[in-house]
Each structure stands twice: as C-alpha cells, then as structure tokens.
Amino acid sequence: MPKPRILLLYTGGTIGMVKNFETGALKVFNFKKLLQNIPELKQLDCDIETLSFEMPIDSSDMDTLQWAKMATIINDNYDGFDGFVILHGSDTMAYSASALSFMLQNLNKPVVFTGSQLPIGDLRTDAKENLITAIQIASLTQDGQPAVREVSLYFEYKLYRGNRTTKISAEHFNAFTSPNYPALAESGVHLKFHKEYFLPATQYKPLQVSFDFDDNVAIVKMFPGINAKVLSALLNVPNLKGIVLETYGAGNAPSGDWFIGILQKAIERGLHVVNVTQCWGGRVNMGQYETSTMLKKIGVISGADITTEAAITKMMYLLGQNVPHSNFKELFETSLCGELS
Ligand code: ASP
C-alpha cells in the first residue's frame, strides 16, 4: 500500500512565528524553519509535502481573498493528495474553517485546521502535538477511504467539526470548543474517533469549489442600552445585505416598538436578519419568550444553534451565490454541511 500523501499548508499564525528582538512582538517567519524544528515529522507513516502562503499572515488579517487562496490550493492539489492540513493562526481559525466548509462542496477528503498558542520553537510549545496529531488524522484511512471527510479543527487533544468551533481562550492551550456539537475525535493514549458524529457518507461527486463571498454584511451584538440612532445607522449602511443579530439567551431582544420597527423596515427593504444567541452554547428559539415572538413575526431568520463564526460566513457565502431572496431564509435555516441542528 502506498503511504498516504498529505499536503501541509502554512498560512501564518503563531505556530510559525518568532520574536522580533527589538520590539518583543511576534511576527511570522520562513516556513522552512518550521519543518527544521520538527524532525519528528519524518517518523510519521505518510508522505508530507509542504506549501506556504508567499506572505504568511497573522490570522487577524484574514479575509475572503485568503479563503479563496486556501480553497484554490486544495482544489489544484485535490487529486494528488489524500488529506490536507492547514496551519492557521488561532484568532480567526473558526471563521476560516467555517468558510472552507461552505466553499468545498462534495468534499470527501480530510481538511484539518490547526495551529498553536506558542510558537513551534518555544520550549513549552503546544504546536508539536497539534501538528503531529492533525497530520495523523488527515492520513488515516478506513476501507481504503479517508476516515474523516470534512473540514475539521484539531486543537489540544480534540478534533471538532470546523464550522462548530469557537475560540474561547487567549491564554490556555485548550483554546477552542464546540459548544453545540460533540468532538469528532479525542487524542489520549489512543486516538478515539466518534464516528457517529461524522457527516454521513454521501455518494462520490467531484469536488466543487465556490469562491464567491459577499462581504456586505455585519454582526450586530445586542447590549442593554442600545439605542435607535445606533441601530438605525448600522442597518442603513449603503448596500448592506444582511446582518447576524447576536441576541440574548434563547434569541431574545428588546421588545419596544422602536426596535422592532427599525428591524421590520430593514427586512421590508430586503435585508436578511439572522438571529443567533450571544450565549456560549444553546440555541435560538423564537417564540419561547414574548421578547422574541415579534422577531419571528417580522421574518427574522433563526440561526438555531449555529455559532456566530459559521453564521456570518454562511451569510457571506449564500449572498455570494446570489440565492434568490425568497429562498434565503429556508436555505439559511437548513444545515448545508453540519453547521446547525
Ligand atoms: N495572532 C495569532 C493569529 O491568529 C494568534 C495565533 O496564531 O494563535 O495569527
């Protein structure tokens, strides 16, 4: 049996950063040095090829063009490799993993995002375990097929569905969680897969990549004290097409006429409004409280248990596909690749 072939793509992030001795700030460095720091990679039972963004970035500079670059590299190398590992800064990794899950339709190979909290050269780094296990996961096969055939994120002993993740700590190695969906695998003495949570296998279809995103969107987070002037200004941004409204608890928002009136006018103008909870976990259930009943009535879309990261990328993706206005709500409320339930 030939060894699995893995493409390791470095986009940037702490994992490959070094300290600028003058300022003390972390900056990205040459990817080749990253591999010099991990001779252990040679012991893995797979062939690894590496690629790097020409200009690796701190993931705070992530945007739709960088997503297109990642998707193009996967598309161009799809037939030549059995799995893909994307090294990415942790700050926006959950957004990129969500975006790629929508872009890569009919994916039947693993795309595993990982990174680290400490640079790979640091004595106490978490990078080596994250990188080595991510590669092992990407190279695992079952009955001659890749074991995990979706966009996932591996960090600190857990493999998650990428579009279910959120970054929860700027300090702990355990930086990610998946509040509303169980881990797909856990790494301990053994690598334990929870196959019952994988996306169901579908009939083989060629990979199809969608590159179009529409960034005329915004995230609007509710807070006690939000006023009509502010909300109105946000919703009247020229060419704005959709907002993700981060509401309280199970999808609740101010019930005053001024609030509902501004939202209703925006929806009548054609703006898509998606309700997600600003809670760490749980789901939106419009109509459970009076404070969300009106939202449902005026046509606000339910984000159910989707993360804000997946909601905003799904909105940009659906708008980019020019989904007819009348289908948008139904499509958003439908799971496209396991992002909501
Ligand atoms: N600022 C870094 C980034 O997201 C943090 C990290 O890599 O974890 O690129």
Side-chain angles (χ1 to χ4, degrees):
M1 283 284 278
K3 285 185 183 178
R5 299 194 71 223
I6 301 303
L7 184 64
L8 182 61
L9 169 64
Y10 179 56
T11 66
T14 298
I15 193 161
M17 285 186 179
V18 279
K19 257 203 182 125
N20 177 327
F21 288 111
E22 276 158 31
T23 63
L26 286 171
K27 59 168 195 173
V28 289
F29 84 147
N30 188 318
F31 181 63
K32 290 206 177 91
K33 292 200 183 149
L34 176 78
L35 293 178
Q36 279 165 21
N37 278 293
I38 337 163
E40 293 93 329
L41 287 179
K42 296 195 188 89
Q43 292 174 35
L44 288 170
D45 201 18
C46 57
D47 291 325
I48 303 167
E49 241 178 70
T50 58
L51 258 184
S52 171
F53 272 10
E54 225 165 274
M55 301 269 284
I57 55 167
D58 184 299
S59 79
S60 309
D61 285 322
M62 190 52 58
D63 58 24
T64 57
L65 290 178
Q66 310 290 335
W67 292 338
K69 269 202 231 168
M70 287 180 224
T72 302
I73 289 171
I74 292 173
N75 197 25
D76 292 350
N77 292 282
Y78 197 66
D79 294 333
F81 289 88
D82 299 291
F84 302 84
V85 174
I86 302 185
L87 302 179
H88 191 293
S90 60
D91 288 347
T92 61
M93 199 189 294
Y95 291 89
S96 294
S98 299
L100 271 278
S101 76
F102 299 121
M103 296 170 90
L104 303 173
Q105 287 140 36
N106 309 328
L107 183 70
N108 68 355
K109 294 186 179 182
V111 174
V112 188
F113 276 81
T114 196
S116 65
Q117 292 280 55
L118 284 177
I120 196 105
D122 194 290
L123 205 54
R124 294 178 50 251
T125 190
D126 53 330
K128 286 191 185 180
E129 201 287 319
N130 286 347
L131 175 58
I132 289 169
T133 308
I135 295 174
Q136 275 184 328
I137 289 168
S139 54
L140 267 182
T141 53
Q142 204 189 11
D143 307 326
Q145 295 292 329
V148 190
R149 297 181 232 174
E150 51 184 287
V151 177
S152 59
L153 186 155
Y154 182 78
F155 221 90
E156 188 68 1
Y157 305 117
K158 294 244 172 81
L159 180 76
Y160 300 112
R161 175 166 299 152
N163 58 30
R164 291 291 195 149
T165 57
T166 191
K167 185 173 178 183
I168 49 162
S169 179
E171 166 67 21
H172 297 125
F173 288 151
N174 185 10
F176 286 88
T177 193
S178 166
N180 290 326
Y181 199 76
L184 303 179
E186 279 164 84
S187 169
V189 173
H190 298 104
L191 201 50
K192 218 161 126 194
F193 285 92
H194 303 296
K195 291 189 190 132
E196 65 277 27
Y197 300 126
F198 289 7
L199 279 179
T202 50
Q203 219 190 344
Y204 173 82
K205 283 192 204 143
L207 180 75
Q208 206 182 320
V209 186
S210 297
F211 293 100
D212 300 315
F213 282 94
D214 189 329
D215 59 7
N216 288 297
V217 296
I219 298 172
V220 179
K221 184 167 182 160
M222 291 292 94
F223 61 93
I226 188 164
N227 66 38
K229 226 163 58 188
V230 169
L231 186 68
S232 213
L234 289 171
L235 298 197
N236 282 294
V237 168
N239 210 26
L240 187 71
K241 296 187 185 142
I243 62 158
V244 171
L245 193 68
E246 271 201 1
T247 58
Y248 308 122
N252 307 313
S255 54
D257 288 348
W258 68 269
F259 182 84
I260 299 296
I262 292 171
L263 275 189
Q264 189 169 13
K265 260 197 216 137
I267 291 171
E268 282 166 6
R269 273 198 328 263
L271 193 87
H272 301 291
V273 180
V274 171
N275 188 350
V276 303
T277 174
Q278 56 184 253
C279 286
W280 189 73
R283 61 190 297 124
V284 161
N285 183 5
M286 287 187 283
Q288 182 180 348
Y289 290 89
E290 268 182 11
T291 42
S292 65
T293 304
M294 275 313 283
L295 297 179
K296 193 174 179 176
K297 270 198 189 140
I298 62 173
V300 169
I301 300 165
S302 172
D305 62 353
I306 200 168
T307 59
T308 297
E309 291 88 333
I312 195 74
T313 49
K314 184 173 183 175
M315 181 172 266
M316 287 195 275
Y317 164 74
L318 288 179
L319 289 170
Q321 306 310 298
N322 290 318
V323 167
H325 195 271
S326 53
N327 291 2
F328 192 94
K329 184 174 190 295
E330 193 188 334
L331 259 182
F332 199 100
E333 291 178 348
T334 306
S335 166
L336 302 181
C337 42
E339 73 281 6
L340 56 80
S341 41

